[in-house]
């Protein structure tokens, strides 16, 4: 029993995997729920372009027409981007229902990892992962992304975690679940829009080759996924204290509006976007492109081993 009966891999991605080329998986909740149209479509296309420019093959993943689609073509990318928040936000618990009913779903980090592993893709680029929400001691809101990192052998390149989350608790859970966190060129765990969070990573890596060596051994030993934390480029980074103020406001607004559960992350992202007058969206796009470039280099280094 496995996911393979419900996975449809595009020809381009299948050929790349068969010839041992670097392949980078991309999630699609960031397209459906993370950004408004048309910026989401533009971002999705640009990120694929960055991966190609760095010598690897992109594989955007989504649930469509009763299948996990691995490697969307441009028409499906546009269909997904236009569907936006009307699509389901597909977490692990939603998979069977969405596949059985043929609904369209943007895959989160967790479900994108599931499909990537099943397809034989070892590297995945995203913006930020889900984690432990602030107040989780009463709400129990801890993203399924952390569980998936603990059991699925895929390396996820992200810009750390947004401080809409409790970063200290997120790092604690990653430690408990045995997930290594590699800082790409840094020993500081980045906070998505800002390069610093005040928290350290377990291991700093100086290059894609160094990251690939650890990732390859982690998978060979059958241990878990790996989180690669890659800070937002200096030029695009936002002031940590300014963004903190907006996040505090957004969390207050979410509480007042009674927003929780799977709606929490999309609501907070949208609220921060409004409060920063769109600046947070520009930074978000820049960091995703930066992660795609690093993921492509790591995927190529893994393929060359
Ligand atoms: N962070 C972002 N944009 C996003 C997400 C996270 O900046 O779109 C999405 C990712 O798909 C992530 C998901 O896997 O939110 C986590 O949601 P939850 O906290 O409900 O598990
Ligand atoms: Mn949640």
């Amino acid at each position: 029993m496995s996911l393979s009966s419900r996975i449809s891999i595009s020809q381009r991605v299948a050929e790349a995997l068969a010839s041992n080329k670097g392949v980078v998986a991309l999630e699609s909740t960031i397209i459906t729920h993370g950004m408004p149209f048309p910026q989401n479509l533009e971002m999705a296309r640009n990120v694929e372009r960055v991966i190609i420019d760095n010598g690897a093959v992109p594989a955007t993943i989504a649930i469509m027409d009763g299948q996990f689609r691995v490697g969307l073509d441009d028409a499906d990318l546009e269909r997904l981007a236009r569907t936006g928040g009307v699509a389901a936000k597909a977490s692990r618990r939603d998979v069977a229902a969405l596949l059985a009913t043929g609904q369209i779903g943007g895959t989160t980090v967790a479900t994108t990892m599931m499909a990537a592993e099943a397809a034989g893709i070892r590297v995945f680029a995203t913006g930020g992962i889900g984690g432990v929400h602030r107040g989780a001691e009463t709400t129990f809101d801890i993203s399924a992304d952390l569980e998936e990192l603990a059991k699925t052998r895929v390396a996820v390149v992200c810009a750390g975690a947004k401080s809409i989350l409790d970063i200290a608790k997120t790092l604690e859970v990653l430690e408990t679940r045995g997930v290594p966190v590699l800082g790409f060129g840094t020993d500081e765990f980045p906070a998505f829009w800002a390069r610093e969070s005040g928290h350290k990573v377990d291991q700093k890596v100086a290059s894609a080759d160094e990251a690939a060596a650890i990732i390859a051994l982690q998978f060979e030993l059958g241990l878990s996924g790996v989180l690669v934390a890659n800070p937002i480029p200096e030029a695009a980074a936002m002031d940590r204290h300014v963004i903190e103020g907006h996040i505090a406001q957004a969390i207050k607004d979410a509480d007042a509006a009674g927003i929780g559960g799977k709606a929490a992350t999309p609501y907070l992202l949208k609220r921060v976007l409004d409060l920063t007058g769109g600046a947070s969206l520009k930074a978000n796009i820049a960091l995703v492109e930066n992660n795609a470039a690093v993921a492509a280099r790591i995927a190529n280094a893994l393929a060359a081993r």
Side-chain angles (χ1 to χ4, degrees), residues 27 29-30 33-34 89 107-110 126-131 133 141 143-145 162 192 261-262 265 269 284:
E27 63 148 310
T29 291
I30 191 174
H33 291 75
K89 177 176 162 186
T107 49
T108 63
V109 168
T126 184
I129 57 158
H133 279 262
D141 190 351
S143 175
D145 293 354
K162 274 176 280 358
F192 199 76
K262 70 194 287 186
T265 301
L269 288 175
N284 195 343

Side-chain angles (χ1 to χ4, degrees), residues 50-132:
V50 167
I51 290 168
I52 293 165
D53 289 347
N54 280 275
V57 174
T60 301
I61 294 177
I63 293 178
M64 292 174 121
D65 314 317
Q67 297 272 336
F68 262 112
R69 301 279 296 282
V70 178
L72 294 186
D73 61 25
D74 196 65
D76 280 335
L77 209 56
E78 181 164 349
R79 186 174 141 210
L80 194 71
R82 284 186 184 277
T83 305
V86 174
K89 177 176 162 186
S91 192
R92 179 178 259 272
R93 60 110 189 256
D94 307 306
V95 165
L98 296 174
L99 291 175
T101 56
Q103 291 174 77
I104 188 163
T107 49
T108 63
V109 168
T111 43
T112 306
M113 287 181 78
M114 290 168 65
E117 185 185 57
I121 302 172
R122 292 175 293 178
V123 183
F124 163 15
T126 184
I129 57 158
V132 181

Side-chain angles (χ1 to χ4, degrees), residues 2 10 13 15 18 23 36 81 109 127 133-134 169 172 203 210-211 225 238 263 271-272 280 282 284 289 292-293 295:
S2 71
S10 75
V13 171
E15 280 171 10
V23 177
V109 168
H133 279 262
R134 297 191 196 178
K169 289 192 180 74
E172 286 296 342
Q203 183 72 41
E210 214 180 292
M238 299 178 72
R271 197 68 196 104
V272 171
S280 66
K282 266 182 80 178
N284 195 343
E289 291 181 3

Side-chain angles (χ1 to χ4, degrees), residues 251-284:
I251 290 173
K252 242 196 238 162
D253 296 345
D255 284 344
I259 308 281
K262 70 194 287 186
T265 301
Y267 177 89
L268 292 170
L269 288 175
K270 168 82 173 58
R271 197 68 196 104
V272 171
L273 189 154
D274 291 341
L275 290 167
T276 60
S280 66
L281 179 57
K282 266 182 80 178
N284 195 343

Side-chain angles (χ1 to χ4, degrees), residues 186-211:
T186 181
D187 58 8
E188 170 102 8
F189 187 73
F192 199 76
W193 292 295
R195 290 173 63 85
E196 275 106 36
S197 68
H199 299 278
K200 296 288 168 215
V201 294
D202 311 318
Q203 183 72 41
K204 176 178 176 175
V205 291
S207 66
D209 278 335
E210 214 180 292

Side-chain angles (χ1 to χ4, degrees), residues 134-205:
R134 297 191 196 178
E137 60 276 24
T138 52
T139 62
F140 278 44
D141 190 351
I142 302 176
S143 175
D145 293 354
L146 302 183
E147 291 295 317
E148 206 63 46
L149 280 160
K151 64 184 160 213
T152 302
R153 274 164 252 164
V154 172
V156 179
V157 182
C158 71
K162 274 176 280 358
S163 40
I164 60 175
L165 302 174
D166 187 320
I167 293 180
K169 289 192 180 74
T170 300
L171 290 170
E172 286 296 342
V173 171
L174 287 167
E175 182 194 356
T176 302
R177 306 295 275 118
V179 179
V181 180
L182 310 181
F184 196 82
T186 181
D187 58 8
E188 170 102 8
F189 187 73
F192 199 76
W193 292 295
R195 290 173 63 85
E196 275 106 36
S197 68
H199 299 278
K200 296 288 168 215
V201 294
D202 311 318
Q203 183 72 41
K204 176 178 176 175
V205 291

